[in-house]
Amino acid sequence: MLKRVAIVTGGARGIGLAVSRQLAEEGFCLAIMGTSSEEKVKERLDQLPADKGDIIYIQGSLGDRQDRNRLMETVLERFGRVDVLVNNAGVGPKQRLDILETSEECYDYVMHINLKGTFFLTQAVAKQMIKQKNQMEGQRYNQPMTIIIISSISEYTSSINRGEYCISKAGLGMVTKLFADRLANEGIQVFGIRPGIIRTDMTKTVAEKYDKLIAEGILPMKRWGEPEDIAKAVSVLCSGKMEYCVGQTIDVDGGFHIRRL
Ligand code: NAD
């Protein structure tokens, strides 16, 4: 049977690495994009449970059109298709500044990668998936095609010292809806995931703050989220088992989203 092919942006570290590991275990071929050099991520990628040649790494920025084009060209040259896109890569502001102080440069940096990059990579992959579906017309295209957008609890939670991050994630909520709507009848499912407080390099610098908040009960489940918690949700969403669902965003956050009194 043909192996399914997944693109995972930011798939060599943190949440993305756990997603890559999960999909490799399930037999996917992987195209992983990230900003680090191949040399830097090689050891980690070598440890993924995949056959040699089933994983390619593309160094580049999601925010750069040429890098996105190169990613698509490389994937198609190597694997000839894309079945799953996990839009995981994302950045926080280089400096956490109050919204009264933050600069246009900080704002543009975050929005460019998180929102514009994700939108246009999703557009490119969606077009490729539609092409695949049309090529298979007549024969039943039996591999589920799924696009997942990793947003955040910041999609709806105000953090006034990283407003640009929150705005980018709120925008991703609409990107999920738009593509879900546009692609529903093309046989492509689009879903979002809102991770909560997840233990990765991104949260390392504020780990003490979150330790305290979790101990004080900010989450109904009194523990940090782990990257594997997100990876398992990705696995379910791209399994094809939720056939009549489209456009949902799943909270993987230990219950953070529940309003409590
Ligand atoms: P991380 O900083 O550990 O990893 C981010 C990954 O994205 C890295 O592999 C990096 O190479 C890649 N990346 C960064 N800029 C890129 C660019 N311009 N082009 C391509 N790749 C780029 O972060 P993480 O904690 O694993 O977060 C992954 C995603 O989950 C992000 O979108 C983040 O916003 C989201 N998220 C994280 C948390 C959390 O608590 N860690 C919570 C909610 C949402």
Side-chain angles (χ1 to χ4, degrees):
M1 197 173 113
L2 218 53
K3 287 187 175 179
R4 292 171 80 197
V5 178
I7 296 177
V8 185
T9 62
R13 195 176 100 170
I15 292 173
L17 180 62
V19 170
S20 296
R21 193 177 303 113
Q22 177 74 36
L23 296 181
E25 272 168 14
E26 293 177 17
F28 275 80
C29 292
L30 296 178
I32 295 173
M33 185 196 216
T35 44
S36 303
S37 69
E38 189 155 3
E39 202 188 351
K40 215 167 161 192
V41 301
K42 187 176 180 314
E43 206 181 312
R44 267 173 271 155
L45 299 190
D46 281 349
Q47 285 170 10
L48 293 176
D51 293 335
K52 214 173 161 36
D54 280 359
I55 296 183
I56 53 173
Y57 181 76
I58 297 98
Q59 182 185 3
S61 174
L62 175 64
D64 185 305
R65 186 191 311 169
Q66 284 174 353
D67 288 353
R68 288 193 303 270
N69 289 344
R70 192 163 45 82
L71 165 68
M72 291 305 291
E73 283 161 17
T74 315
V75 177
L76 295 179
E77 211 172 277
R78 181 67 160 266
F79 301 126
R81 50 195 275 132
V82 186
D83 301 292
V84 169
L85 166 65
V86 184
N87 282 299
N88 162 75
V91 291
K94 284 186 176 158
Q95 215 186 341
R96 287 188 177 210
L97 290 171
D98 186 283
I99 50 169
L100 297 181
E101 303 301 332
T102 197
S103 65
E104 291 196 24
E105 288 71 25
C106 276
Y107 181 97
D108 287 344
Y109 167 73
V110 172
M111 296 295 277
H112 197 73
I113 296 170
N114 292 7
L115 191 52
K116 186 175 170 186
T118 300
F119 179 90
F120 283 102
L121 181 62
T122 301
Q123 182 192 66
V125 169
K127 284 182 175 176
Q128 170 57 29
M129 288 175 164
I130 292 171
K131 208 159 131 192
Q132 285 170 201
K133 190 200 76 161
N134 292 341
Q135 281 166 355
M136 299 290 285
E137 214 147 32
Q139 316 158 44
R140 191 162 141 59
Y141 191 80
N142 58 5
Q143 303 275 38
M145 294 190 285
T146 317
I147 296 177
I148 293 172
I149 293 173
I150 308 281
S151 167
S152 170
I153 51 176
S154 297
E155 190 177 314
Y156 60 86
T157 304
S158 159
S159 298
I160 53 173
N161 64 347
R162 50 174 182 149
E164 50 280 79
Y165 181 77
C166 300
I167 296 168
S168 73
K169 295 297 186 180
L172 287 182
M174 182 50 76
V175 173
T176 304
K177 281 187 200 154
L178 287 167
F179 279 100
D181 181 10
R182 177 63 183 81
L183 300 176
N185 214 33
E186 302 285 357
I188 303 163
Q189 289 180 296
V190 181
F191 297 110
I193 293 180
R194 280 188 287 258
I197 301 170
I198 313 295
R199 202 191 304 276
T200 68
D201 286 343
M202 187 181 258
T203 44
K204 208 154 72 183
T205 51
V206 280
E208 256 177 54
K209 172 185 159 184
Y210 288 143
D211 278 341
K212 189 164 176 286
L213 288 172
I214 292 169
E216 286 168 359
I218 196 169
L219 305 176
M221 289 186 191
K222 279 196 172 185
R223 71 160 174 91
W224 279 76
E226 301 296 338
E228 290 70 25
D229 290 313
I230 311 302
K232 286 175 195 159
V234 168
S235 168
V236 173
L237 292 177
C238 66
S239 67
K241 286 184 183 158
M242 294 166 64
E243 263 184 81
Y244 199 49
C245 299
V246 72
Q248 285 86 349
T249 293
I250 313 287
D251 297 289
V252 187
D253 62 357
F256 177 86
H257 66 280
I258 301 169
R259 283 193 184 197
R260 292 183 294 159
L261 205 55

